[in-house]
Amino acid sequence: MNAIIDASELESALAGANPPVLLDVRWQLSVARAAGEPPFDGRAAYRAGHLPGAVFVDLDEELASAPGAHGRHPLPDLGVFGAAMRRAGVSSRTPVVVYDGGMGWGAARAWWLLRWSGHPDVRVLDGGLPSWPGPLETSVPAPAEGDFVPEPGEAGLLDADGAAALARSGVLLDARAGERYRGEVEPIDRVGGHIPGAVSAPTTENVGAGNRFRPAAELVTRFKELGVSESSPVGVYCGSGVSGAHEVLALAVAGIPAALYVGSWSEWSSDPGRPVAVGPDPQ
């Protein structure tokens, strides 16, 4: 099953016999608070207009737990996450389509969590809300309670030690901007740089016009050039496990399974005992 869906396919699916549940996960990484500006309000954006029938999901409150020692967006409490999914109408036998404002990061976080916790049929709307050609609605739906219960598997998730080991034994991709990887700037975390052995692979280079994913064949070539082979285990990290989920999604489009280090740089860099590499060289 493809991990993404375009707007025309979604229109057909919504008119079919088993329409997908729609989740609106509009979210933006905001450093505006440091300048005294209000952060992005995804719920307000949702109420101003969303796909018909879509339910808003709060990334900070329902797809992550509170910031702390394990990073800015640690794994959510599974009880909270499961309750949010059931409230949105998610059931184990119902397909799910997730979208956001277009960047794809928030939607990818929801996609990754659902797939990691056992949902068999989840896709991301390629290009997000801006790709939708139909009318929007402002009313808030009240779907029937779903029955989905998260049951995470052992695969697909890395902790700090696992990420460090994978950087030596496989391919660990750093999905952040290149200047943050190199340690030239660090607007959020304690220190700049990257996990030793990690390869710079900005997730923004996986998309083209309209933030739509590049064709699968192009993504296969891109990841091959970054050192990914059929035999190499692959992992991804970013700043806090959100844009990294988008890179895992790009890898899925290319047919390449990958694990996510959810704590990412926000966890790694907060530990003075963890080594930090700077510059363009992975080591």
Side-chain angles (χ1 to χ4, degrees):
M1 183 190 70
N2 200 346
I4 57 175
I5 185 171
D6 65 29
S8 62
E9 291 174 312
L10 178 56
E11 285 185 301
S12 296
L14 289 171
N18 188 26
V21 170
L22 297 179
L23 304 181
D24 183 310
V25 194
R26 270 178 276 183
W27 173 90
Q28 290 180 13
L29 175 64
S30 177
V31 294
R33 293 186 211 185
E37 300 175 21
F40 173 77
D41 189 341
R43 195 176 297 275
Y46 167 81
R47 290 184 180 275
H50 53 83
L51 266 62
V55 175
F56 180 74
V57 176
D58 190 310
L59 187 148
D60 291 312
E61 300 294 331
E62 297 170 321
L63 304 183
S65 52
H70 293 296
R72 281 191 305 280
H73 292 101
L75 285 173
D77 176 271
L78 289 179
V80 172
F81 171 62
M85 294 299 98
R86 292 189 293 274
R87 170 187 59 83
V90 175
S91 291
S92 57
R93 294 173 299 280
T94 303
V96 178
V97 172
V98 193
Y99 72 91
D100 58 21
M103 177 82 63
W105 294 5
R109 172 73 176 219
W111 167 85
W112 181 83
L113 277 168
L114 280 164
R115 294 291 293 145
W116 170 71
S117 62
H119 199 287
D121 190 350
V122 191
R123 287 181 284 178
V124 169
L125 176 59
D126 197 17
L129 184 67
S131 73
W132 180 251
L136 302 179
E137 69 177 24
T138 56
S139 59
V140 178
E145 183 88 356
D147 64 14
F148 177 69
V149 177
E151 295 181 356
E154 295 182 3
L157 178 66
L158 293 171
D159 60 10
D161 290 340
L166 187 59
R168 298 188 298 269
S169 64
V171 179
L172 181 64
L173 301 176
D174 184 318
R176 298 172 300 158
E179 58 268 25
R180 290 185 69 190
Y181 169 89
R182 295 187 295 272
E184 297 165 359
V185 299
E186 183 43 66
I188 308 173
D189 292 311
R190 184 184 67 85
V191 64
H194 59 270
I195 296 173
V199 177
S200 180
T203 199
T204 52
E205 296 179 15
N206 295 320
V207 298
N211 285 314
R212 299 189 184 193
F213 282 102
R214 293 163 59 181
E218 289 186 15
L219 290 172
V220 168
T221 298
R222 165 170 160 73
F223 291 122
K224 182 177 181 180
E225 291 172 349
L226 291 169
V228 175
S229 68
E230 292 183 0
S231 61
S232 58
V234 182
V236 181
Y237 76 96
C238 57
S240 65
V242 179
S243 66
H246 189 263
E247 184 122 294
V248 174
L249 176 58
L251 284 154
V253 172
I256 302 166
L260 177 66
Y261 172 27
V262 174
S264 285
W265 190 247
S266 59
E267 178 186 44
W268 183 278
S269 64
S270 69
D271 182 352
R274 296 284 179 185
V276 171
V278 295
D281 191 309
Q283 302 300 332

